Amino acid sequence: MNDLNLMEKIVSLAKRRGFVFPGSELYGGLSGTFDYGPLGVILKENIERLWLQMFRDDRDDMYGVDAAILMNPKVWEASGHVKTFADPLADGKMFNTMFKTSVGAGEEVSMVYLRPETAGGIFTNFKNVVDALHPKLPFGIAQIGKAFRNEIAPRDFIFRLRELSQMEVEYFVQPAAWEQAFEEWRKMMYLFAEAIGIPKSAIHELEVPDGDRAHYSKRTIDFEFDYPFGRKELWGLAYRTDFDLSAHAEASSTELSYLDEETKEKFIPHAIEPSLGVDRTILAILTSAYREDQMRDETRTYLALAPKIAPVKAMVSPLLKNKPELVAKAREVRAELKKIHPAIAWDDNGNIGKRYRRQDEIGTPFCITIDFDTLGETPELKGTVTLRHRDTGEQERLTLAEVAERLRTAMQ
Ligand code: GAP
């Protein structure tokens, strides 16, 4: 399979099975926009939930915000985006990629930007979080949300979008502690990659050289990934210094410094920023997980998704649809497994092989089949079911308690 072929297959599977649809498709689409379908939205939520858990909730030094997308345009003047958030057009002129819209009506109308990064709403809430919760340095603020960029050439499916989602942290530290924090978040990004099923070996760090970094950054590492269309940025880790807080302090004439109660030292904290695009993460996951193999003389397609993020955790099915006793038992088994996780699918359509293939294609780790032995046709097998593993197609005969344990373990 060549790489372009792989890309086509991923795009086609994503559409066919309800992961990602082209935006505004009925009307010929809108370039740089995509919609997440029923399975895609769950995959996205699973990724975001895991990120929130690892980057915010499992830690004592992290706080959340959910800031407005529309902000006073002075925010983007102070942050330097009005001046520098631009890409060159073909004729050499610079084009600012922030979207503009207007608020208010009549005489009151004024122009605002759609935020180009969620970070803006983090820096501008620094003081609010300090005043409300009095966190001790170092601490960070995490946010997930939409950002908008009028990219000159949106392309490569959900890689370069005009409307995207970001998962961002601004971690505030003493100026002298920035390197240590930078290294900690660098490790954290690898832990997250591993948790969502992107192997460490698939990530390549690029130390962004002087002159190529964003205007606010003294050091940036791009975490690149081998997409089917080439090695490109997946995530970024930046040392933004005190650039943003200082700029906002000056432009808003507000004190944005931190007072160390012990040393009585007052200073503007420096920020380390791990920034992860959700859409690029989804594309990297789909690329890493897409597999084809030969099974029973047929080419089979499956997604080797990590159980933690797979949209469906298991599928339960009765061997035959027209046997009420099998159906009743299978319903009972499904209800039991749903107590462990709600995402347990039901499928009684077509033959069992076809049902397995359908689940393989959407990355369901386990399929559970209820047959006559479950009901006691072979007495020593009574109460046992077949557990089929997605990646190998192997099947095991297990008690329901053992299946439940497998499911629990897989999702840890
Ligand atoms: N706050 C820092 C910041 O926004 P960035 O490198 O411009 O830095 C961060 O963007 C991340 O957002 C990228 O690493 C990528 O994952 C994602 N991203 C940026 N532009 C994107 C676009 N046009 N489409 C999809 N994702 C994008």
Side-chain angles (χ1 to χ4, degrees):
M1 188 166 25
N2 69 39
D3 284 352
L4 287 177
N5 205 346
L6 170 63
M7 193 61 192
E8 270 171 28
K9 287 179 174 183
I10 291 172
V11 174
S12 147
L13 187 151
K15 165 113 201 273
R16 193 170 67 250
R17 300 307 311 273
F19 282 92
V20 185
F21 305 130
S24 313
E25 197 185 11
L26 280 184
Y27 294 94
L30 177 69
S31 182
T33 67
F34 283 87
D35 298 341
Y36 288 95
L39 292 181
V41 76
I42 298 177
L43 178 63
K44 186 168 184 264
E45 285 166 3
N46 290 347
I47 293 164
E48 292 178 352
R49 203 172 298 125
L50 194 57
W51 182 87
L52 286 172
Q53 186 194 322
M54 293 176 70
F55 283 66
R56 190 189 70 185
D57 301 342
D58 281 352
R59 305 173 58 111
D60 292 328
D61 57 353
M62 290 297 302
Y63 301 82
V65 292
D66 183 7
I69 288 171
L70 302 177
M71 302 183 82
N72 189 312
K74 287 179 183 161
V75 170
W76 306 112
E77 276 158 32
S79 70
H81 285 78
V82 171
K83 223 185 238 159
T84 59
F85 201 66
D87 281 337
L89 289 170
D91 66 3
K93 278 200 224 53
M94 293 305 278
F95 166 74
N96 193 298
T97 55
M98 280 195 292
F99 277 104
K100 287 178 191 159
T101 188
S102 53
V103 290
E107 299 285 293
E108 299 295 310
V109 73
S110 64
M111 188 279 293
V112 294
Y113 298 103
L114 300 188
R115 67 182 179 198
E117 55 168 5
T118 65
I122 297 182
F123 289 117
T124 50
N125 277 298
F126 169 80
K127 185 173 166 13
N128 286 333
V129 172
V130 170
D131 291 348
L133 290 124
H134 311 289
K136 295 266 165 296
L137 222 60
F139 74 90
I141 303 177
Q143 175 170 229
I144 298 182
K146 290 260 176 150
F148 301 83
R149 299 179 182 192
N150 196 0
E151 298 281 359
I152 295 167
R155 69 171 89 102
D156 297 320
F157 191 38
I158 51 173
F159 178 80
R160 192 175 302 286
L161 294 169
R162 288 186 170 143
E163 177 175 340
L164 55 128
S165 292
Q166 292 182 318
M167 307 183 280
E168 299 201 296
V169 164
E170 300 302 332
Y171 193 70
F172 300 104
V173 297
Q174 294 255 7
W178 78 267
E179 273 167 311
Q180 191 193 333
F182 194 90
E183 288 311 314
E184 282 168 16
W185 286 104
R186 191 179 188 173
K187 284 197 198 98
M188 193 62 179
M189 289 163 83
Y190 279 109
L191 288 179
F192 183 66
E194 198 185 310
I196 56 176
I198 300 176
K200 193 171 181 195
S201 59
I203 291 177
H204 309 276
E205 289 189 7
L206 175 77
E207 184 78 48
V208 181
D210 287 350
D212 286 355
R213 287 189 298 270
H215 61 279
Y216 49 69
S217 176
K218 252 203 174 145
R219 183 176 182 198
T220 299
I221 291 178
D222 282 351
F223 283 61
E224 296 191 318
F225 176 82
D226 287 319
Y227 289 101
F229 43 85
R231 185 170 290 183
K232 295 274 165 64
E233 179 183 342
L234 166 63
W235 302 328
L237 174 63
Y239 169 40
R240 289 179 80 135
T241 69
D242 60 350
F243 176 87
D244 299 88
L245 288 183
S246 294
H248 290 306
E250 195 185 327
S252 65
S253 308
T254 309
E255 174 105 49
L256 294 179
S257 52
Y258 173 87
L259 174 70
D260 188 318
E261 299 288 352
E262 277 160 34
T263 62
K264 301 292 170 211
E265 197 194 346
K266 210 174 185 191
F267 57 92
I268 296 197
H270 284 218
I272 302 296
E273 178 195 66
S275 175
L276 290 71
V278 178
D279 315 275
R280 287 188 189 182
T281 304
I282 291 174
L283 185 53
I285 287 172
L286 292 177
T287 306
S288 305
Y290 188 93
R291 308 265 200 290
E292 285 177 5
D293 65 3
Q294 293 297 314
M295 195 171 271
R296 296 181 208 283
D297 298 328
E298 269 180 49
T299 303
R300 153 182 99 126
T301 300
Y302 69 103
L303 293 182
L305 295 177
K308 250 189 213 161
I309 57 154
V312 178
K313 308 302 179 193
M315 182 274 279
V316 175
S317 95
L319 182 66
L320 300 169
K321 177 182 186 169
N322 57 0
K323 298 284 174 200
E325 61 278 33
L326 287 182
V327 173
K329 183 69 188 167
R331 292 247 176 241
E332 209 181 282
V333 167
R334 181 176 182 231
E336 218 31 58
L337 294 178
K338 266 179 164 286
K339 291 180 189 159
I340 300 171
H341 198 288
I344 311 292
W346 173 267
D347 190 356
D348 57 11
N349 278 316
N351 69 45
I352 203 80
K354 289 226 174 76
R355 296 179 208 165
Y356 288 160
R357 296 292 191 278
R358 280 198 288 272
Q359 296 300 323
D360 288 344
E361 222 186 16
I362 61 167
T364 306
F366 303 114
C367 287
I368 294 133
T369 304
I370 280 57
D371 58 20
F372 292 105
D373 284 336
T374 314
L375 303 177
E377 193 171 274
T378 310
E380 60 272 26
L381 293 180
K382 187 163 187 214
T384 64
V385 299
T386 303
L387 178 77
R388 176 192 178 266
H389 297 264
R390 174 195 65 203
D391 297 355
T392 57
E394 274 167 24
Q395 305 192 11
E396 294 182 273
R397 195 84 207 174
L398 299 172
T399 64
L400 188 54
E402 286 167 331
V403 168
E405 198 45 43
R406 294 292 173 92
L407 191 60
R408 264 192 216 102
T409 313
M411 286 184 324
Q412 269 162 18

